[in-house]
Amino acid sequence: MKYISLNDKNHKVSFEDAVVRGLAPGKALYFPEKIPNLSKDFFQNLGELSKEEIAFEAIKPFVGEEIDKNGLQEILKKTLNFEFPVVPISENTGTLELFHGPTLAFKDVGAGFMAGCLGHFVKKGNLGKITVLVATSGDTGGAVANGFLGVEGIDVVILYPKGKVSEIQEKQLTTLGQNITALEVNGNFDDCQDMVKKAFSDAEISEKRQLTSANSINVARWLPQMFYYFFAYKQLTEKQEKLVFSVPSGNFGNICAGMLAKKMGLPIDRFIASNNENNVVTRYLQSQEYSPKPSVQTISNAMDVGNPSNFVRILELFNNEFEPLSKQLSSFSYSDEETRKAIKQVKEKYNYVMDPHGAVGYLGLQEFLAENPDYYGTFLETAHPVKFLETVEEVIGEKVEIPVSIKEAMNKEKKAFNISDYDELKAYLMQ
């Protein structure tokens, strides 16, 4: 499998090169040269396969021979060592819980898979030392820090917006030490992401450090997110209704991976991009005009993205044609007030506690199902509610049980360097 630059389709690289480089020249994203079709036998036998077997068949065409079978299976075994249950909420609604990994967020899968792939390539001995440079609006930082912790030959530098991640999220990315460094940025997530992209195109930095990114712009972070939808479908095969997935969407890597799985043959009928007030895609589907705006802060902070990087990949899946895209993708946007109300109502009615991101996904699903009652809907719970403890407890009026791993992280000392602009990031990287 070759990977093309979405800015120049004559620029083609291997899977390893795409993972190591992170971005193509000119800050462009890499994209698979072709989308494989999985066999009918695979889908018919899905119920008999383990998570690792499903994931292996789904990801193997994208990796090719660049990681041997045993090596790839070992990476998947380590990455997928927790469950992905679909929990029924009501007669026509369930939630896919993606928070049972080590940092209680869906990004544990992409971060773990990428760490395994990059560690494999480093061990081959021809790369030298690599610096993973990543921006986070919330959960990415902790997941990447955990996934890469102690991986030989790799340093990790994480940028996060000061005061705009939850206390638990901040602790998860600032307390590990070893090969993990946290940079606290006086700005928002878009500022962090812009700094990261600028660093990748800075020739002086490139001479000093070999950079790659662990944001969902990296193919090894983005692609394994398709696993969620295969795992969910395995649990939903008995449903007679058409299937729709509502995905709380920030940088759009998760939902893009789901739509990729559909292109590969997974029988999902529709997708919903559920947004908070950072709603560039909701507005695009209403107007056909794509107009990014600076991000605004919300209680669903991992979705506070004003210019989602992965949306260009979704457009590529549909050859940049609006009509076929609009037939598969709906999008809705919700305020913090509506999000809080949903958390409260679902707790009172179904005794289920959602985090703010899952609540946005739930709202989008309910709005869609109200007009399309012939669907069975699944919304994604992308983070454990404990990661937004203050917000959730205030809304439901009771305590949320804190997992042991979180208690341990909260007792550790925060270590982060404060920076205000790109020059300060560059100075750090040039050390």
Side-chain angles (χ1 to χ4, degrees), residues 86-260:
V86 176
V87 177
I89 300 295
S90 66
E91 186 178 353
N92 66 343
T93 301
T95 181
L96 174 60
E97 292 185 344
L98 300 177
F99 55 71
H100 294 280
T103 71
L104 310 184
F106 78 103
K107 296 179 179 182
D108 284 324
V109 170
F113 182 78
M114 182 185 169
C117 291
L118 202 53
H120 178 90
F121 296 142
V122 168
K123 283 180 183 176
K124 287 167 60 176
N126 58 349
L127 291 178
K129 199 170 183 84
I130 288 178
T131 298
V132 174
L133 183 64
V134 62
T136 183
S137 58
D139 288 325
T140 293
V144 169
N146 181 273
F148 282 90
L149 182 64
V151 177
E152 190 175 344
I154 299 175
D155 287 330
V156 178
V157 179
I158 302 169
L159 283 70
Y160 72 98
K162 183 176 183 178
K164 294 179 173 62
V165 302
S166 75
E167 184 181 4
I168 288 173
Q169 288 173 325
E170 186 176 43
K171 285 283 190 176
Q172 286 184 320
L173 63 95
T174 61
T175 60
L176 293 176
Q178 295 187 49
N179 59 327
I180 312 296
T181 300
L183 301 181
E184 187 177 24
V185 176
N186 294 316
N188 59 29
F189 170 74
D190 292 328
D191 296 323
C192 298
Q193 186 158 256
D194 287 345
M195 286 188 199
V196 167
K197 289 182 177 179
K198 193 171 181 179
F200 274 93
S201 59
D202 192 317
E204 287 185 275
I205 294 175
S206 298
E207 288 182 11
K208 182 79 174 179
R209 290 180 183 246
Q210 183 160 335
L211 295 180
T212 191
S213 175
N215 284 96
S216 54
I217 54 178
N218 192 298
V219 295
R221 262 287 317 279
W222 165 53
L223 289 170
Q225 294 177 104
M226 75 172 84
F227 299 159
Y228 315 143
Y229 302 90
F230 288 95
F231 299 161
Y233 179 76
K234 177 182 174 180
Q235 298 171 69
L236 296 170
T237 50
E238 295 180 359
K239 300 294 181 186
Q240 299 303 310
E241 303 95 329
K242 294 183 287 186
L243 299 180
V244 59
F245 281 80
S246 177
V247 186
S249 297
N251 223 7
F252 277 73
N254 189 341
I255 194 167
C256 182
M259 300 181 88
L260 177 69

Side-chain angles (χ1 to χ4, degrees), residues 303-322:
M303 297 154 61
D304 293 350
V305 182
N307 187 14
S309 297
N310 284 290
F311 194 64
V312 292
R313 284 180 169 142
I314 291 178
L315 294 175
E316 181 66 22
L317 283 170
F318 292 90
N319 297 312
N320 290 287
E321 295 177 7
F322 179 82

Side-chain angles (χ1 to χ4, degrees), residues 53 78 152 171 190 214 230 247 307 329 338 366 379 425:
E53 289 170 332
K78 186 176 180 181
E152 190 175 344
K171 285 283 190 176
D190 292 328
F230 288 95
V247 186
N307 187 14
L329 179 66
E338 290 171 308
Q366 295 311 305
F379 69 95
L425 170 62

Side-chain angles (χ1 to χ4, degrees), residues 305-361:
V305 182
N307 187 14
S309 297
N310 284 290
F311 194 64
V312 292
R313 284 180 169 142
I314 291 178
L315 294 175
E316 181 66 22
L317 283 170
F318 292 90
N319 297 312
N320 290 287
E321 295 177 7
F322 179 82
E323 188 174 345
L325 170 60
S326 64
K327 288 179 180 178
Q328 289 191 27
L329 179 66
S330 302
S331 186
F332 308 104
S333 172
Y334 302 97
S335 67
D336 281 354
E337 182 181 354
E338 290 171 308
T339 304
R340 288 188 175 95
K341 187 176 179 180
I343 293 171
K344 184 176 179 65
Q345 287 180 338
V346 169
K347 176 64 170 71
E348 291 176 347
K349 190 171 183 179
Y350 302 112
N351 196 32
Y352 187 85
V353 180
M354 303 185 296
D355 92 290
H357 304 77
V360 172

Side-chain angles (χ1 to χ4, degrees), residues 67-83:
I67 300 177
D68 62 274
K69 180 178 180 180
N70 290 339
L72 184 56
Q73 288 175 331
E74 188 59 34
I75 291 170
L76 293 171
K77 183 179 178 181
K78 186 176 180 181
T79 300
L80 302 172
N81 63 349
F82 50 92
E83 296 306 311

